[in-house]
Amino acid sequence: MFDYFELSDFKEKSDRVEIYFEEKNIHLQEYATDNLGSKGFYEQVRMQDYPMRGRSCLLFIKK
């Protein structure tokens, strides 16, 4: 996960843990010589992961 995304925020609450990731601006090797530009992010996606220490774990991923 950390190869392609960076941790942008972490919030620990009484009933849950929220972890926020943003995709890194990494180009594939096949496109290394091309002039590529970012067009922005898609809408943030929320995923529920396995509970951590009795609290729900939510992942917020921005791609």
Side-chain angles (χ1 to χ4, degrees):
M1 183 88 174
F2 289 106
D3 289 341
Y4 301 103
F5 293 88
E6 70 179 36
L7 181 67
S8 62
D9 198 6
F10 178 85
K11 296 179 183 176
E12 192 170 357
K13 302 188 178 188
S14 62
D15 63 335
R16 68 183 180 271
V17 176
E18 297 177 356
I19 305 172
Y20 295 81
F21 291 102
E22 283 191 17
E23 188 175 26
K24 294 179 180 178
N25 190 14
I26 299 174
H27 303 297
L28 297 175
Q29 186 65 29
E30 296 85 28
Y31 303 111
T33 58
D34 294 341
N35 185 16
L36 302 174
S38 176
K39 303 292 188 220
F41 289 105
Y42 287 106
E43 290 294 319
Q44 181 172 273
V45 175
R46 186 180 86 174
M47 296 174 56
Q48 188 167 359
D49 201 5
Y50 291 102
M52 293 174 40
R53 299 184 184 200
R55 294 183 283 183
S56 64
C57 180
L58 298 174
L59 302 176
F60 295 87
I61 302 172
K62 192 180 280 189
K63 183 176 177 182

